[in-house]
Amino acid sequence: MSVDLLTSGDIAIPHPRRRVPLLGDVLGVHVRTPLQDSMRMAAELGPIFERKVLGRRFVLVSDPDIVAELSDESRFRKHLAPAVAALRPIAGDGLFTAFSDEPNWQRAHNLLAPAFTKPAMRSYHEIMTDVAEELTAHLDSSARTPVDVSSAMTKLTLETIGRTGFSFRFDSFDRDRPHPFVEAMVRALGHAQRDVTPMGRFVGRRARARHAADVAYLGEVVDEVIRVRRERPQDGPSDLLEIMLRAQRELDPERVDEVNIRHQVITFLVAGHETTSGALSFALYYLSRHPEALARAQAEVDEVWGAHDRPAFEQVPKLRYVRRVLDESLRLWPTAPAYAREARADTTLLGRHRMSAGDWMLVLIPALHRDPVWGEDADAFDPDRFLSERVRARPAHVYKPFGTGERACIGRQFALHEAVLVLGTLLRRYDLHADPGYRLRVQERLTLMPKGFTLEFTRRADRA
């Protein structure tokens, strides 16, 4: 397909051929799948291209060499892309949505970083295991009935972050429908994402009123979480909320104010369960489609965990193949699929793309993860891509499911431990049976999630 060219700096950057006056590059684009549309454009236009939407310019990149330079913290920093900035009415200056020069970001990061160390992970392990067992009880009650995987994983991850981070129960497995917090969150995220598309101009007054009500409800739930904690101080190990409240009580220099505590709680409740539930759902999808991988993963769990129904903390990271399954699933469908980087000062990328201070580019992670550096079969599912020797043979900065730099996901180790623990628990107990007619459909909101994907979880013959 031929393309028109737009010069940027010293080199021409391609853009889609059919550009509509005023609207820009909107032909062939679907309001519900902008990320997947961009992936198709990358396949046609190459690893750097431009899109214009309603006068707003986006430069999208998936070139490993460009991404490596953008990862240089001395030259670049996080930029709030429009889709992320649209979340500020929901999460304010929380860790994910804060501008890098906002003081609460650095304070909160310094304050909360100890909550994600290895000793902290150890203190969360028993709670994670408890919630995983509630999931299996839920699945046992649904034997021989197709289970919506994304919904089940969302219940699990919301309950996990609620209890580990804030000692708050959502009682997700006691509900026939998702918790109202999840329903309000999904609507609020969808509204925020539509607001930055051409369709955002046609959102009516009623929809905006509903969005305002959803945002207010999210805040009310979080205020209730904080109120309960103030009335019932925690005795055990400090969770995220206790760390922030204690810093206030003790006038810690890194303390954040009351409004920012709300923003941080919303950030962790949303981001802390959305991304992990998607990662688990994609991993289960690929395992259900690859019997040899499923059998290999089950055999590893049987060997490593042995007779233990509740694995010890140290047994989880020993599931190395299960971890590779998760890594490969995140390669193909990183649940947080893009991040933006802006130049700290005037600079040049690869010696040919001039950028002024404040100029930014959007890293299209699924396209980066399908770069030829991954091989000719980059679209295929192969967990052994993450064998140590193959990882060492690849260039740095070609795998970015958790972002990059100082603003990379603070909860990475939390999410990985939780996801491997849950996958191990499910694989030890169940065989997976998918609808053979299902074809993967990816739902886009803030994160990516399989849509309409169901599984029958049947007890393994040797575990019945």
Side-chain angles (χ1 to χ4, degrees), residues 336-348:
Y339 62 90
R341 301 283 283 174
E342 71 176 39
R344 294 179 182 269
D346 295 354
T347 189
T348 304

Side-chain angles (χ1 to χ4, degrees), residues 23-39:
L23 293 179
D25 302 314
V26 297
L27 294 180
V29 173
H30 305 86
V31 131
R32 297 187 184 277
T33 58
L35 183 279
Q36 292 164 83
D37 294 336
S38 293
M39 290 172 63

Side-chain angles (χ1 to χ4, degrees), residues 186-445:
V186 169
R187 286 193 300 266
L189 295 178
H191 181 98
Q193 301 313 292
R194 284 192 297 274
D195 239 13
V196 297
T197 70
M199 291 301 295
R201 294 191 173 187
F202 304 103
V203 173
R205 183 181 302 174
R206 181 177 299 178
R208 294 195 181 279
R210 181 58 186 264
H211 178 61
D214 285 335
V215 172
Y217 175 73
L218 295 178
E220 290 168 7
V221 171
V222 169
D223 287 345
E224 174 67 5
V225 172
I226 296 171
R227 184 192 65 77
V228 169
R229 172 57 57 82
R230 289 194 188 280
E231 291 180 356
R232 305 171 196 164
Q234 183 173 308
D235 295 328
S238 295
D239 60 15
L240 296 174
L241 181 54
E242 183 61 26
I243 288 171
M244 291 187 284
L245 292 177
R246 186 176 64 235
Q248 273 196 338
R249 293 194 300 267
E250 297 177 357
L251 302 180
D252 189 310
E254 301 290 357
R255 68 187 182 278
V256 294
D257 58 38
E258 193 77 17
V259 173
N260 189 256
I261 291 178
R262 175 199 271 200
H263 291 158
Q264 303 300 353
V265 175
I266 290 176
T267 294
F268 280 104
L269 285 176
V270 174
H273 91 274
E274 271 276 291
T275 50
T276 310
S277 60
L280 283 165
S281 299
F282 282 117
L284 289 167
Y285 167 78
Y286 283 110
L287 284 170
S288 72
R289 288 300 188 272
H290 294 83
E292 72 292 346
L294 175 60
R296 187 173 170 186
Q298 287 176 322
E300 181 183 64
V301 177
D302 292 346
E303 179 182 356
V304 172
W305 287 8
H308 297 280
D309 286 328
R310 289 178 65 93
F313 175 81
E314 292 79 9
Q315 288 178 300
V316 174
K318 291 180 180 178
L319 297 182
R320 295 183 177 88
Y321 183 73
V322 173
R323 169 63 188 274
R324 295 203 296 274
V325 166
L326 183 65
D327 288 340
E328 177 70 345
S329 301
L330 283 169
R331 181 186 73 83
L332 289 165
W333 292 108
T335 50
Y339 62 90
R341 301 283 283 174
E342 71 176 39
R344 294 179 182 269
D346 295 354
T347 189
T348 304
L349 278 175
L350 302 183
R352 59 181 185 267
H353 298 291
R354 290 202 305 265
M355 297 180 69
S356 300
D359 284 353
W360 60 279
M361 292 184 173
L362 191 68
V363 177
L364 192 60
I365 305 175
L368 171 69
H369 289 178
R370 288 167 170 77
D371 185 85
V373 73
W374 292 94
E376 294 181 358
D377 62 343
D379 283 317
F381 175 74
D382 178 10
D384 283 342
R385 292 182 205 277
F386 288 89
L387 286 166
S388 297
E389 59 271 21
R390 295 178 69 176
V391 172
R392 289 193 297 269
R394 286 192 292 269
H397 304 293
V398 296
Y399 186 62
K400 293 290 186 179
F402 296 97
T404 195
E406 64 183 10
R407 298 292 300 272
C409 176
I410 192 174
R412 173 178 179 170
Q413 294 307 318
F414 180 101
L416 290 171
H417 187 86
E418 177 188 8
V420 173
L421 167 64
V422 171
L423 283 176
T425 301
L426 295 176
L427 293 171
R428 186 177 185 278
R429 191 176 185 90
Y430 301 108
D431 285 319
L432 311 178
H433 303 281
D435 175 0
Y438 176 78
R439 297 294 178 266
L440 181 62
R441 291 177 291 148
V442 178
Q443 181 180 13
E444 300 181 25
R445 42 199 202 210

